[in-house]
Amino acid sequence: MAHNGSGHTSTLQVVENEAAKLVKSLPREHVAKFLPTVGQLTADMITEIQQAVPAYARPLEGYFGTIMRSGVEQAVRRMLDTVGIGGNPSRDWANLYRKIGKVEFHEGRSLDSLQTAYRVGGRVAWRHIADWGMRHHLPMRTLTVLAEAIFVYIDEISALSIEGYTHAQSQSELVKDRRRRRLSQALLNPARTAHESLTTLADKAGWSLRDEVAVVALEPADDMQELPVPDLPDDVLMDLDGPSPCLITAQPAQHLADLAPQLGDRRAAVGPMVAIGDAATSLRLARRCLDLVLRGVIEDNPLTWSEDHIATLCLLGDEFLISELRSRTLAPLARLTSKQRHRTAQTTLAWLETRGSVSDIAQRLGIHPQTVRYRMRQVDSIFGDTLDDPDRRLELEISLRVDQALRGQHPTKAEQCPT
């Protein structure tokens, strides 16, 4: 095994030794006789490559023409230079084919096109050499070695170009990810970013600025476990590395349809759709919603939509103030036992929410009307004049709703209170 200079271990040295060994076994006296045919050989290789691979069917002009001619000529020259001598290729020679791979990536062509071109070039070279060898009466063993050497070289050149291609691809992805993270951070910190620079960042990141976005807060990973990278459309910006990982999307319903199964045991909350300049607000509400999910205040789901819990988010927008209000408003319940407090609070809230008849409240709570009458007498004795004052009734209802939410109660019609 050998290192290719980029910090990665490569198996190329095995291929190089094999190719060098094959070529070294050939008689060198034939090289001088073959040299006059090299020009026609390289021309024919280029022509047939262009005919076989549509991606290369273009005039040999500019950088494209230079790199293509150089690649073909150097492949032929390298093989001829090592006939009867052997030796591993120079760093410059190897870097040329890595560079070709990089160019192919940046030009937007696929590895399939490049590998097809190498195979076509190898077939043309073998056809020329076989024809020349037969005319010069080369032994069959020599022709056999030449054939094997040509295709070993094709494998070697292809491997080098794949290295260059994949390295350029990985670097491009790193740059793209970095630019998209910078864009995410800029969207979430608008005070630090002018609109012009935001547009520039979006262009560099390959992301179209939208009028509205929603931000998704993701439950952070702990020190022992990385956050899974969800498979989402390219339109979704992701910042998963910070202490508060998040996503930004302009089409949450469409883009997040398959998110929940990818989260594992993690939770996420979707902030409301907002103007793009208010993305930070969407993130703040998403984080707030996620926090309430993790605390058991909002019903636990892998993916929670904050728009379904606006009232709860409003009620708990400032927990210090709401705590002060609860302490003052619900103080009369302090002298009751836990069970009495729960029943009284539940009955009071049912009355405040419905202002209905005894039978309505009984049906709502699933208890007997006589029990409602008994409890309401207790409610009157506990809260007294509070129930006659609209402002104090509002404060009492808010406090009871918050109390219910913070106790992790998510009432449904199926939940019935014991008599």
Side-chain angles (χ1 to χ4, degrees):
M1 304 293 281
H3 292 277
N4 61 24
S6 62
H8 300 289
T9 301
S10 171
T11 59
L12 281 178
Q13 192 65 50
V14 175
V15 178
E16 290 167 355
N17 287 341
E18 183 183 352
K21 193 183 301 182
L22 287 166
V23 178
K24 186 177 181 179
S25 68
L26 297 172
R28 186 157 183 81
E29 63 266 19
H30 295 299
V31 173
K33 299 175 184 178
F34 185 78
L35 281 176
T37 71
V38 169
Q40 187 61 49
L41 169 58
T42 56
D44 288 350
M45 289 171 69
I46 291 173
T47 298
E48 293 204 29
I49 288 170
Q50 290 188 301
Q51 290 174 349
V53 187
Y56 299 122
R58 50 185 284 196
L60 297 176
E61 298 173 349
Y63 190 65
F64 169 77
T66 300
I67 199 77
M68 188 168 186
R69 286 195 188 92
S70 179
V72 172
E73 290 172 359
Q74 288 299 317
V76 176
R77 294 285 181 185
R78 163 66 191 167
M79 185 171 180
L80 292 175
D81 288 346
T82 55
V83 169
I85 300 173
N88 291 329
S90 67
R91 182 182 298 274
D92 289 343
W93 184 88
N95 284 340
L96 168 65
Y97 291 95
R98 293 190 183 102
K99 184 176 182 180
I100 289 174
K102 292 178 182 178
V103 170
E104 291 304 288
F105 172 78
H106 290 301
E107 290 286 325
R109 291 185 286 270
S110 71
L111 272 175
D112 287 343
S113 294
L114 183 59
Q115 290 177 300
T116 300
Y118 284 146
R119 288 194 295 270
V120 171
R123 289 200 302 267
V124 175
W126 168 237
R127 192 169 63 240
H128 270 259
I129 291 172
D131 181 64
W132 182 88
M134 293 178 67
R135 291 200 314 271
H136 288 77
H137 308 292
L138 292 184
M140 184 57 65
R141 181 186 177 282
T142 300
L143 289 175
T144 302
V145 172
L146 276 169
E148 186 176 0
I150 286 171
F151 293 107
V152 168
Y153 267 108
I154 294 302
D155 288 343
E156 176 182 327
I157 291 168
S158 180
L160 288 166
S161 293
I162 290 171
E163 276 189 24
Y165 191 100
T166 54
H167 179 71
Q169 189 176 47
S170 64
Q171 289 298 108
S172 177
E173 289 299 319
L174 288 173
V175 170
K176 181 181 178 181
D177 288 346
R178 186 162 59 246
R179 288 173 174 174
R180 289 169 73 88
R181 282 197 300 272
R182 286 183 61 195
L183 174 60
S184 298
Q185 292 164 2
L187 289 171
L188 299 173
N189 295 277
R192 303 180 187 177
T193 310
H195 181 71
E196 293 77 11
S197 59
L198 192 63
T199 302
T200 300
L201 287 172
D203 287 342
K204 289 181 177 180
W207 194 79
S208 300
L209 285 177
R210 317 300 168 85
D211 293 333
E212 292 185 318
V213 294
V215 185
V216 184
L218 303 175
E219 182 182 355
D222 54 38
D223 293 337
M224 301 300 293
Q225 184 180 12
E226 290 187 359
L227 191 70
V229 179
D231 181 16
L232 296 172
D234 204 44
D235 286 341
V236 179
L237 294 176
M238 291 191 281
D239 186 356
L240 306 180
D241 297 329
S244 300
C246 65
L247 313 172
I248 301 176
T249 171
Q251 298 176 284
Q254 176 182 336
H255 291 163
L256 306 178
D258 299 321
L259 177 61
Q262 301 183 55
L263 295 174
D265 59 353
R266 301 286 168 184
R267 297 290 177 264
V270 186
M273 288 290 290
V274 296
I276 195 164
D278 296 323
T281 298
S282 183
L283 176 59
R284 177 174 58 81
L285 293 173
R287 285 176 176 164
R288 183 63 179 147
C289 185
L290 179 60
D291 175 63
L292 294 177
V293 170
L294 297 177
R295 289 167 53 186
V297 176
I298 292 176
E299 186 175 2
D300 185 14
N301 286 297
L303 185 65
T304 302
W305 297 77
S306 63
E307 62 187 18
D308 295 335
H309 303 279
I310 295 297
T312 302
L313 292 171
C314 287
L315 287 174
L316 296 173
D318 189 321
E319 290 201 47
F320 173 79
L321 290 179
I322 204 67
S323 177
E324 292 293 304
L325 181 64
R326 285 174 66 213
S327 296
R328 174 167 56 83
T329 307
L330 302 184
L333 298 176
R335 64 178 182 269
L336 303 179
T337 66
S338 176
K339 188 173 183 179
Q340 290 173 330
R341 174 190 167 94
H342 172 73
R343 289 180 172 180
T344 303
Q346 188 182 51
T347 305
T348 305
L349 183 57
W351 179 78
L352 289 168
E353 289 176 339
T354 66
R355 297 303 295 271
S357 64
V358 168
S359 60
D360 290 336
I361 297 174
Q363 185 176 14
R364 182 182 180 90
L365 297 180
I367 59 178
H368 194 278
Q370 188 61 34
T371 304
V372 174
R373 293 188 184 93
Y374 169 73
R375 289 189 186 179
M376 284 306 302
R377 287 194 292 271
Q378 290 182 313
V379 169
D380 285 333
S381 66
I382 291 171
F383 290 109
D385 294 341
T386 295
L387 303 178
D388 298 323
D389 186 319
D391 291 335
R392 297 180 70 187
R393 278 203 310 270
L394 176 61
E395 290 180 349
L396 179 58
E397 182 174 351
I398 290 173
S399 297
L400 289 169
R401 282 178 174 269
V402 170
D403 194 60
Q404 182 185 69
L406 291 178
R407 290 175 183 274
Q409 299 174 34
H410 310 293
T412 67
K413 291 182 179 180
E415 291 177 336
Q416 304 292 324
C417 179
T419 307

